Amino acid sequence: MTVPHQRRPGDGPVGPYAFVFWNDDLDDDVVLTQLREIADAGFVGVTLSARVGLSRRVGYLTDEFLRLVRVAVDECARLGLAVMLYDEASYPSGSANGAVVARDPAFAARCLVPVTRDVEVPVGAPGDEPADAGYWRPALGRDLDVRLLAVVARPVDDAGGVVGDDAVLLPARAPGLVRLDLPPGSWRVTAVFDAASGGTIRGAHAEQDDGSALAPPAADLLSPDAVAAFLELTHDAYAAALGEHLGTTVVAMFTDEPFLLGRGHRRLARPYTPGLEAEVAARLDDGSGVDVAEVLRRLPELWDGDGTRPGGTDPDATGFVRDWDDAVRARLHRVYYDAQAAWCAAHGLALTGHPAEPDDLATAARLHWPGQDTVWRWVLPRASGGDGTALEGPESTAPKVAASAARARGGVPAVTEVLGAYGWRLSLDEARWLLDWYLSRGVTTPVLHAFFSSVRGGRAFESEPDLGRWNSWWPHLPPLVGYVRRVAELLDAAPPVWPVGLLSRPDAAPSGPVVRALLEAQVDFGYVDRDDESAHAGYTVLLDADDGVPDVPALKERLRAAGAPVVDAEPAAPDLRAVVLGGPSHDRPAGYVVFHEGEEAVRTWLGLPSVPDDACWWDPFADTRHPVERDDHGRVLLDLERRRTLALVPSAGHPVPPAGAASGRRVEVTGWRGTVERVLGDPDTVADDPSAVVPAHVELGDWTRVPALRRLSGSVRYTAEVDVPDGAGAARLDLGVVGEAATVRVDGGVVGHAMSAPYVVDLGVLAPGTRTLDVLVSNSAANYYEGDRRPSGLLGPVTLTW
C-alpha cells in the first residue's frame, strides 16, 4: 500500500471539534447534512465515531460503513473541516467491536484471579509421621480456559494477618492437585489463575451494550499479536478507504480510554498477559538474582491492598504491587500506545484521545496530542453543587495533565473530550464554565461530546445530551464555538508561561491544597513527571506536592527575582485564573487572559510585569475591545462578571472605542410579543392537556405556566419597540431573567448573545428613532426529554440604559 503525504504528528488546527455519533441507519443525506451544520456552527473539525445504535445494515467496518466514512471525509475536505478518526465502535478502544477476539479467542483480555483457602496443619505427636493438610484441587468455577499459574501458602499470625516473607510456592501436580505439604500452623493458601477477564466493550449496535450477552469481548492490549490484529482490522481498513486524505484532511486517530480488563470483568481481576511475570522479575532484579519463581511466590500480595482503580492498578501501592503495576503500565505503553503511535506517524497522523485515568500523566504523554476527558458531571461549578471539584480530586487534574504532557512534547495541541453524559439538564452556562476550566489550564483542542445522528427511541438517553439539532439551544451554540476557537487560537499562538513545575508521580498527578494555593494566587504551573528529568527543563521553580502548601508570597518573590512574570491581584481574587501569554522575551509577555471561575462579580487591580502601551481589553466572546484603566502604580483595573473572560492584548490596529460616560438614563422595555419558532419533538404532544391551545402570542414570563407550553423545549422569538432619543450614548440591554439562552437583534441585525447571568448585551450607539428589538430565547431541553419545568423564556424585567 502506498503511504500518503506525510505530515508531522502534531500538525493540525486547534480549536473545537464536534464528536459525531453515528448511531442509527445512516445514508449520505444524513451524514452530509450533519457535517454542513457543524461547519456552519464554526467548528474546526469533527471526530467521526460509530456508536451504540448504529444499524446492522450499515454495520461496523463493513464496505458500506467505510463508504460512508469516505463520503464524510470527502465532504469535510470540501468544507475545510479537519477529521479525527475514532478507532473503536463505541469504547473502550482496542477490540474492533469484538473482531479481534473473533479472529483468535486467545486474543481476549486476560487477568489474574485468586482463589483462597485457609488451612490448619496440626502438630503431630512425637515419633508420628509428619502431619500435612492433604491435597487441594483449586478451581475457578467450570472455566475450561484457565491456567493455574501459582499456588502460594503464607503463614497466618495470631492477629489473622499473613506473613509474606515466609511464603511458600507449592508445586501443582496433574490433574491440578496441590499437596499442602506445610509445617504445622495456620496458613492462607492462594491459587492464582491466568484466565480470560470476561470483560467486554460497548459495541456499535443496540444489542451490544453493557450487560448484553452480545456485548463484544475486550481484547488483550498487552499482547502484541492482538494489538497487531486490531491495527489491521481498523487502521488499515481506514487507510485503504481514505488513501490521500490521511495526513491532509484526516489529522488524527482518537483512541478512547483503553481498559485492560474490559467492562464488567471478573471480580478481583488484575491485568495480565502470559509472560508478564518475566518482565516483573527483570524489573526487580538488581543483581540479587530475582527470578520468575520469586515473582510467582509474591503474587498474592496483589490482593492485600484496599482495592484498585477500574483499570486494575493502584497508584497508591508500594513495594511489589507498585513494581507489578509499573510493569503493566510499561507494557501497555510499549505494546499498545507505541504501536498505535508508530502506525499514525507512518501515515502522517497524530495519535490522540485519552487514557482510562484522569491523572495518568505518563500515559497521556504517549499520545502525539495528549488528551483527557471530563464526562458524567465529574466536575461542576459551585452553583451546581460541585464545590471543590474544580480543584480537588483526581478528575480535577485532567486539564493540566493533558496540557502538561503536550507541553513536554514540544507544544503540540492538548485535547479533551468534554461535556459528555452531563445530561439534558446541561445548560450553556455550565458548558461555558467547563470549557473555560479547560482553556484556562492550557487545553486548546476540546472535542465537544456529542452530536447525535439520531435521537430515535432510547438514543436520546445514551450519553446525552446531544449538542446539535436535537437540543433546544442549538441556535445559540455557534457563538460559544466561536469563542472557544478564538481563545484556543490565542493560546496556541502565544503558549502560556508556566513558571512553576509541580512534581508528579507518573500515574497520579496531585490535586488539592497545593494546586489550590497556586491557582487561587494566579501562579500558573505544569505537572512534571518526577521520573523524567528531561521534562524538568523550562520551569523556573520546581515544587513537590509532598512538601505541603508553599509560602505563596515568598514563592512569588522568588519568581520575580528569577525574572519570571508574576500576576498580583489587589484585593485578592481567588476565583480568577490568570494566564500569561508567552512573548518575545522571558520578562515581556505578549499579553494576559483572565478567566472567571467563580459565581460573583470580581473587581480588582492587577499588578502585571509589563503592559503594552497600546493594550486593550479584548472580549473574545463578543469579539469587542475596550480601553484599559490604570492607577498611579501602573496596575490595571479588572471588572469581570461571572462566566466572562477578558484578554489584555495589544490593539494591533483594531479600533478601541473610548469609555463613554453613561448618561444614566434607564427605561423598562415593555410590549413584548413572542411567537413559537422552534420546537423539539411533536408540538401536538408536548402539552399535558391535549385540549390546550398554543397561544398566538407568548407574553413576558415563564412559558411553562402556559398549559400548552408546559413541556415545550424550543425557541420563542420576542419583539418590542423602543424610542431612542437624539444624542443617546452607547446602549446596554439587560434582559433580566432568561430561561436560558438569548440572541439579540436590533432592526434585524444580530448585536449580541447571552447564555448566562447576567444577561446583559451591549448594543452600541443606537440611531435615534423607533428601533425594533428582537430576542430569540431558547430554554432547556430537559423540559421535553426529562419532564422538567425549568423556567423558560424571557422572564425580564427588560431594561435599556444609555
Side-chain angles (χ1 to χ4, degrees), residues 341-389:
W343 190 98
C344 289
H347 291 78
L349 307 184
L351 176 61
T352 191
H354 57 88
E357 304 295 348
D359 53 353
D360 190 341
L361 181 64
T363 301
R366 310 306 288 196
L367 303 167
H368 295 132
W369 295 355
Q372 281 293 352
D373 75 333
T374 297
V375 294
W376 288 112
R377 307 190 75 80
W378 287 334
V379 178
L380 298 168
R382 286 199 299 268
S384 298
D387 188 23
T389 57

Short mmCIF file of all heavy atoms in Angstrom, two decimals, residues 341-389:
data_model
loop_
_atom_site.label_atom_id
_atom_site.label_comp_id
_atom_site.label_asym_id
_atom_site.label_seq_id
_atom_site.Cartn_x
_atom_site.Cartn_y
_atom_site.Cartn_z
N ALA A 341 1.02 4.69 17.93
CA ALA A 341 1.73 5.92 17.57
C ALA A 341 2.60 5.71 16.34
O ALA A 341 2.68 6.59 15.46
CB ALA A 341 2.58 6.39 18.75
N ALA A 342 3.24 4.56 16.25
CA ALA A 342 4.08 4.28 15.09
C ALA A 342 3.25 4.20 13.82
O ALA A 342 3.64 4.72 12.76
CB ALA A 342 4.86 2.98 15.31
N TRP A 343 2.10 3.54 13.90
CA TRP A 343 1.22 3.46 12.73
C TRP A 343 0.78 4.86 12.30
O TRP A 343 0.81 5.21 11.12
CB TRP A 343 0.00 2.60 13.04
CG TRP A 343 -0.82 2.27 11.80
CD1 TRP A 343 -0.76 1.13 11.07
CD2 TRP A 343 -1.79 3.11 11.18
NE1 TRP A 343 -1.64 1.21 10.02
CE2 TRP A 343 -2.29 2.41 10.06
CE3 TRP A 343 -2.29 4.38 11.44
CZ2 TRP A 343 -3.27 2.94 9.21
CZ3 TRP A 343 -3.27 4.92 10.60
CH2 TRP A 343 -3.75 4.21 9.51
N CYS A 344 0.34 5.66 13.29
CA CYS A 344 -0.12 7.01 12.97
C CYS A 344 1.00 7.85 12.35
O CYS A 344 0.79 8.55 11.34
CB CYS A 344 -0.66 7.68 14.22
SG CYS A 344 -2.25 7.00 14.80
N ALA A 345 2.19 7.79 12.93
CA ALA A 345 3.30 8.59 12.40
C ALA A 345 3.63 8.18 10.97
O ALA A 345 3.93 9.02 10.11
CB ALA A 345 4.51 8.44 13.30
N ALA A 346 3.56 6.89 10.69
CA ALA A 346 3.86 6.41 9.34
C ALA A 346 2.83 6.88 8.33
O ALA A 346 3.11 6.92 7.12
CB ALA A 346 3.94 4.88 9.33
N HIS A 347 1.65 7.24 8.79
CA HIS A 347 0.59 7.68 7.89
C HIS A 347 0.29 9.17 8.02
O HIS A 347 -0.73 9.66 7.53
CB HIS A 347 -0.68 6.87 8.15
CG HIS A 347 -0.56 5.43 7.74
ND1 HIS A 347 0.11 4.50 8.50
CD2 HIS A 347 -0.98 4.76 6.64
CE1 HIS A 347 0.08 3.32 7.90
NE2 HIS A 347 -0.58 3.46 6.77
N GLY A 348 1.20 9.90 8.67
CA GLY A 348 1.05 11.35 8.76
C GLY A 348 0.00 11.83 9.73
O GLY A 348 -0.47 12.96 9.62
N LEU A 349 -0.40 10.99 10.67
CA LEU A 349 -1.44 11.36 11.63
C LEU A 349 -0.86 11.55 13.02
O LEU A 349 0.22 11.05 13.34
CB LEU A 349 -2.52 10.27 11.71
CG LEU A 349 -3.16 9.79 10.42
CD1 LEU A 349 -4.26 8.78 10.73
CD2 LEU A 349 -3.71 10.95 9.62
N ALA A 350 -1.62 12.24 13.85
CA ALA A 350 -1.31 12.32 15.28
C ALA A 350 -2.16 11.29 16.01
O ALA A 350 -3.34 11.13 15.71
CB ALA A 350 -1.60 13.71 15.82
N LEU A 351 -1.56 10.58 16.95
CA LEU A 351 -2.33 9.74 17.85
C LEU A 351 -2.84 10.62 18.99
O LEU A 351 -2.05 11.32 19.64
CB LEU A 351 -1.47 8.61 18.42
CG LEU A 351 -2.16 7.72 19.46
CD1 LEU A 351 -3.37 7.01 18.86
CD2 LEU A 351 -1.18 6.72 20.06
N THR A 352 -4.15 10.61 19.20
CA THR A 352 -4.72 11.41 20.28
C THR A 352 -5.78 10.59 20.99
O THR A 352 -5.90 9.38 20.80
CB THR A 352 -5.27 12.75 19.76
OG1 THR A 352 -5.58 13.59 20.85
CG2 THR A 352 -6.51 12.55 18.88
N GLY A 353 -6.57 11.22 21.84
CA GLY A 353 -7.55 10.54 22.67
C GLY A 353 -7.24 10.77 24.13
O GLY A 353 -6.77 11.84 24.51
N HIS A 354 -7.47 9.74 24.95
CA HIS A 354 -7.15 9.90 26.38
C HIS A 354 -7.06 8.55 27.05
O HIS A 354 -7.70 7.58 26.63
CB HIS A 354 -8.18 10.78 27.08
CG HIS A 354 -9.59 10.27 26.97
ND1 HIS A 354 -10.13 9.39 27.86
CD2 HIS A 354 -10.56 10.55 26.08
CE1 HIS A 354 -11.38 9.13 27.53
NE2 HIS A 354 -11.67 9.81 26.44
N PRO A 355 -6.25 8.46 28.12
CA PRO A 355 -6.13 7.21 28.88
C PRO A 355 -7.36 6.99 29.76
O PRO A 355 -8.26 7.83 29.83
CB PRO A 355 -4.87 7.42 29.71
CG PRO A 355 -4.76 8.90 29.86
CD PRO A 355 -5.33 9.50 28.61
N ALA A 356 -7.35 5.86 30.45
CA ALA A 356 -8.50 5.49 31.28
C ALA A 356 -8.60 6.34 32.54
O ALA A 356 -9.69 6.53 33.08
CB ALA A 356 -8.42 4.01 31.66
N GLU A 357 -7.48 6.86 33.04
CA GLU A 357 -7.47 7.58 34.30
C GLU A 357 -7.15 9.06 34.07
O GLU A 357 -6.29 9.39 33.26
CB GLU A 357 -6.46 6.98 35.26
CG GLU A 357 -6.66 5.49 35.54
CD GLU A 357 -7.97 5.18 36.26
OE1 GLU A 357 -8.61 6.13 36.75
OE2 GLU A 357 -8.33 4.01 36.32
N PRO A 358 -7.81 9.97 34.80
CA PRO A 358 -7.65 11.41 34.55
C PRO A 358 -6.31 11.98 34.97
O PRO A 358 -5.88 13.00 34.44
CB PRO A 358 -8.77 12.03 35.38
CG PRO A 358 -9.00 11.05 36.49
CD PRO A 358 -8.79 9.69 35.87
N ASP A 359 -5.63 11.34 35.93
CA ASP A 359 -4.39 11.90 36.46
C ASP A 359 -3.16 11.12 36.00
O ASP A 359 -2.08 11.24 36.58
CB ASP A 359 -4.44 11.94 37.99
CG ASP A 359 -4.79 10.59 38.62
OD1 ASP A 359 -5.13 9.66 37.86
OD2 ASP A 359 -4.73 10.48 39.86
N ASP A 360 -3.32 10.33 34.93
CA ASP A 360 -2.24 9.47 34.43
C ASP A 360 -1.38 10.26 33.45
O ASP A 360 -1.58 10.24 32.23
CB ASP A 360 -2.84 8.24 33.76
CG ASP A 360 -1.78 7.19 33.42
OD1 ASP A 360 -0.59 7.55 33.37
OD2 ASP A 360 -2.14 6.03 33.19
N LEU A 361 -0.40 10.96 33.99
CA LEU A 361 0.45 11.85 33.19
C LEU A 361 1.32 11.06 32.23
O LEU A 361 1.47 11.43 31.05
CB LEU A 361 1.32 12.68 34.14
CG LEU A 361 2.27 13.69 33.51
CD1 LEU A 361 1.51 14.77 32.77
CD2 LEU A 361 3.15 14.33 34.59
N ALA A 362 1.89 9.96 32.67
CA ALA A 362 2.82 9.19 31.84
C ALA A 362 2.12 8.58 30.63
O ALA A 362 2.68 8.54 29.53
CB ALA A 362 3.50 8.10 32.67
N THR A 363 0.89 8.11 30.82
CA THR A 363 0.18 7.52 29.69
C THR A 363 -0.29 8.59 28.72
O THR A 363 -0.20 8.41 27.50
CB THR A 363 -1.01 6.68 30.19
OG1 THR A 363 -0.51 5.66 31.06
CG2 THR A 363 -1.74 6.03 29.04
N ALA A 364 -0.77 9.71 29.23
CA ALA A 364 -1.16 10.80 28.33
C ALA A 364 0.02 11.23 27.47
O ALA A 364 -0.14 11.59 26.30
CB ALA A 364 -1.68 11.98 29.14
N ALA A 365 1.22 11.16 28.02
CA ALA A 365 2.40 11.59 27.29
C ALA A 365 2.76 10.67 26.13
O ALA A 365 3.58 11.03 25.28
CB ALA A 365 3.59 11.70 28.25
N ARG A 366 2.16 9.47 26.05
CA ARG A 366 2.44 8.58 24.92
C ARG A 366 1.72 9.04 23.66
O ARG A 366 2.00 8.55 22.56
CB ARG A 366 2.00 7.14 25.24
CG ARG A 366 2.48 6.59 26.54
CD ARG A 366 3.97 6.66 26.75
NE ARG A 366 4.71 5.72 25.92
CZ ARG A 366 5.98 5.39 26.15
NH1 ARG A 366 6.62 5.93 27.18
NH2 ARG A 366 6.61 4.54 25.37
N LEU A 367 0.76 9.95 23.80
CA LEU A 367 -0.02 10.42 22.66
C LEU A 367 0.68 11.59 21.98
O LEU A 367 1.25 12.45 22.65
CB LEU A 367 -1.41 10.86 23.13
CG LEU A 367 -2.23 9.80 23.87
CD1 LEU A 367 -3.43 10.44 24.54
CD2 LEU A 367 -2.66 8.69 22.92
N HIS A 368 0.60 11.65 20.66
CA HIS A 368 1.16 12.80 19.95
C HIS A 368 0.45 14.08 20.35
O HIS A 368 1.07 15.14 20.48
CB HIS A 368 1.03 12.61 18.43
CG HIS A 368 1.83 11.47 17.89
ND1 HIS A 368 1.31 10.52 17.04
CD2 HIS A 368 3.12 11.10 18.07
CE1 HIS A 368 2.24 9.64 16.72
NE2 HIS A 368 3.35 9.97 17.34
N TRP A 369 -0.88 14.00 20.49
CA TRP A 369 -1.67 15.09 21.06
C TRP A 369 -2.24 14.57 22.37
O TRP A 369 -3.28 13.91 22.38
CB TRP A 369 -2.82 15.50 20.16
CG TRP A 369 -2.46 16.08 18.83
CD1 TRP A 369 -1.22 16.38 18.36
CD2 TRP A 369 -3.38 16.45 17.80
NE1 TRP A 369 -1.30 16.90 17.10
CE2 TRP A 369 -2.60 16.96 16.73
CE3 TRP A 369 -4.75 16.40 17.67
CZ2 TRP A 369 -3.18 17.41 15.54
CZ3 TRP A 369 -5.34 16.86 16.50
CH2 TRP A 369 -4.57 17.36 15.45
N PRO A 370 -1.59 14.82 23.50
CA PRO A 370 -2.09 14.29 24.77
C PRO A 370 -3.50 14.80 25.07
O PRO A 370 -3.84 15.95 24.76
CB PRO A 370 -1.07 14.82 25.78
CG PRO A 370 0.18 15.01 24.98
CD PRO A 370 -0.29 15.49 23.64
N GLY A 371 -4.30 13.93 25.67
CA GLY A 371 -5.67 14.32 25.98
C GLY A 371 -6.17 13.70 27.26
O GLY A 371 -5.56 12.81 27.85
N GLN A 372 -7.33 14.20 27.70
CA GLN A 372 -8.05 13.67 28.84
C GLN A 372 -9.54 13.86 28.56
O GLN A 372 -9.92 14.41 27.52
CB GLN A 372 -7.65 14.36 30.14
CG GLN A 372 -6.34 13.86 30.73
CD GLN A 372 -6.42 12.42 31.22
OE1 GLN A 372 -7.49 11.82 31.27
NE2 GLN A 372 -5.29 11.84 31.57
N ASP A 373 -10.39 13.44 29.47
CA ASP A 373 -11.81 13.68 29.29
C ASP A 373 -12.45 14.05 30.61
O ASP A 373 -11.92 13.77 31.69
CB ASP A 373 -12.52 12.49 28.65
CG ASP A 373 -12.72 11.32 29.63
OD1 ASP A 373 -11.92 11.20 30.58
OD2 ASP A 373 -13.65 10.53 29.42
N THR A 374 -13.62 14.73 30.50
CA THR A 374 -14.42 15.04 31.68
C THR A 374 -15.87 14.83 31.27
O THR A 374 -16.43 15.59 30.47
CB THR A 374 -14.20 16.49 32.14
OG1 THR A 374 -12.83 16.65 32.53
CG2 THR A 374 -15.09 16.81 33.33
N VAL A 375 -16.47 13.78 31.81
CA VAL A 375 -17.84 13.43 31.48
C VAL A 375 -18.59 13.08 32.77
O VAL A 375 -18.03 13.15 33.86
CB VAL A 375 -17.89 12.23 30.49
CG1 VAL A 375 -17.28 12.63 29.15
CG2 VAL A 375 -17.14 11.02 31.05
N TRP A 376 -19.87 12.72 32.62
CA TRP A 376 -20.67 12.23 33.74
C TRP A 376 -20.71 13.19 34.93
O TRP A 376 -20.75 12.77 36.08
CB TRP A 376 -20.16 10.86 34.20
CG TRP A 376 -20.47 9.76 33.25
CD1 TRP A 376 -19.60 9.04 32.50
CD2 TRP A 376 -21.76 9.24 32.94
NE1 TRP A 376 -20.26 8.12 31.72
CE2 TRP A 376 -21.60 8.21 31.98
CE3 TRP A 376 -23.06 9.54 33.38
CZ2 TRP A 376 -22.67 7.50 31.46
CZ3 TRP A 376 -24.11 8.82 32.85
CH2 TRP A 376 -23.92 7.82 31.91
N ARG A 377 -20.64 14.49 34.65
CA ARG A 377 -20.75 15.50 35.71
C ARG A 377 -19.71 15.29 36.81
O ARG A 377 -19.95 15.53 38.00
CB ARG A 377 -22.16 15.52 36.32
CG ARG A 377 -23.26 15.68 35.28
CD ARG A 377 -24.62 15.94 35.88
NE ARG A 377 -24.71 17.32 36.37
CZ ARG A 377 -24.94 18.37 35.60
NH1 ARG A 377 -25.09 18.24 34.31
NH2 ARG A 377 -25.02 19.57 36.11
N TRP A 378 -18.51 14.85 36.39
CA TRP A 378 -17.44 14.64 37.35
C TRP A 378 -16.95 15.97 37.94
O TRP A 378 -16.44 16.00 39.06
CB TRP A 378 -16.27 13.95 36.67
CG TRP A 378 -16.52 12.51 36.36
CD1 TRP A 378 -17.38 11.66 37.01
CD2 TRP A 378 -15.90 11.73 35.33
NE1 TRP A 378 -17.33 10.41 36.45
CE2 TRP A 378 -16.43 10.43 35.42
CE3 TRP A 378 -14.96 12.01 34.36
CZ2 TRP A 378 -16.05 9.41 34.56
CZ3 TRP A 378 -14.58 10.99 33.50
CH2 TRP A 378 -15.13 9.70 33.60
N VAL A 379 -17.06 17.03 37.16
CA VAL A 379 -16.58 18.33 37.61
C VAL A 379 -17.70 19.34 37.40
O VAL A 379 -18.30 19.39 36.32
CB VAL A 379 -15.32 18.76 36.83
CG1 VAL A 379 -14.87 20.14 37.27
CG2 VAL A 379 -14.19 17.76 37.05
N LEU A 380 -17.98 20.12 38.43
CA LEU A 380 -19.12 21.03 38.38
C LEU A 380 -18.75 22.39 38.96
O LEU A 380 -17.93 22.48 39.88
CB LEU A 380 -20.28 20.47 39.21
CG LEU A 380 -20.87 19.12 38.76
CD1 LEU A 380 -21.78 18.58 39.85
CD2 LEU A 380 -21.61 19.27 37.47
N PRO A 381 -19.37 23.46 38.46
CA PRO A 381 -19.22 24.76 39.13
C PRO A 381 -19.92 24.72 40.48
O PRO A 381 -20.82 23.90 40.72
CB PRO A 381 -19.90 25.74 38.17
CG PRO A 381 -20.83 24.91 37.35
CD PRO A 381 -20.21 23.55 37.25
N ARG A 382 -19.53 25.62 41.35
CA ARG A 382 -20.07 25.60 42.71
C ARG A 382 -21.59 25.73 42.73
O ARG A 382 -22.26 25.11 43.53
CB ARG A 382 -19.43 26.70 43.55
CG ARG A 382 -18.00 26.42 43.95
CD ARG A 382 -17.58 27.28 45.12
NE ARG A 382 -17.64 28.69 44.81
CZ ARG A 382 -16.62 29.40 44.34
NH1 ARG A 382 -15.46 28.80 44.09
NH2 ARG A 382 -16.73 30.68 44.09
N ALA A 383 -22.13 26.55 41.84
CA ALA A 383 -23.57 26.78 41.85
C ALA A 383 -24.35 25.52 41.52
O ALA A 383 -25.53 25.43 41.81
CB ALA A 383 -23.94 27.88 40.85
N SER A 384 -23.68 24.53 40.91
CA SER A 384 -24.35 23.27 40.57
C SER A 384 -24.14 22.21 41.64
O SER A 384 -24.38 21.04 41.41
CB SER A 384 -23.82 22.75 39.22
OG SER A 384 -24.09 23.66 38.19
N GLY A 385 -23.68 22.62 42.79
CA GLY A 385 -23.48 21.65 43.86
C GLY A 385 -22.13 20.97 43.79
O GLY A 385 -21.93 19.95 44.45
N GLY A 386 -21.22 21.51 43.01
CA GLY A 386 -19.93 20.86 42.84
C GLY A 386 -18.80 21.57 43.54
O GLY A 386 -17.70 21.66 43.00
N ASP A 387 -19.03 22.13 44.70
CA ASP A 387 -18.00 22.89 45.40
C ASP A 387 -16.74 22.05 45.58
O ASP A 387 -16.78 20.96 46.14
CB ASP A 387 -18.52 23.34 46.77
CG ASP A 387 -17.55 24.29 47.45
OD1 ASP A 387 -16.76 24.92 46.75
OD2 ASP A 387 -17.61 24.40 48.69
N GLY A 388 -15.63 22.55 45.10
CA GLY A 388 -14.36 21.88 45.30
C GLY A 388 -13.94 20.99 44.15
O GLY A 388 -12.78 20.62 44.06
N THR A 389 -14.86 20.60 43.26
CA THR A 389 -14.49 19.63 42.23
C THR A 389 -13.56 20.23 41.18
O THR A 389 -12.94 19.49 40.43
CB THR A 389 -15.72 19.05 41.54
OG1 THR A 389 -16.51 20.11 40.98
CG2 THR A 389 -16.57 18.26 42.52
#
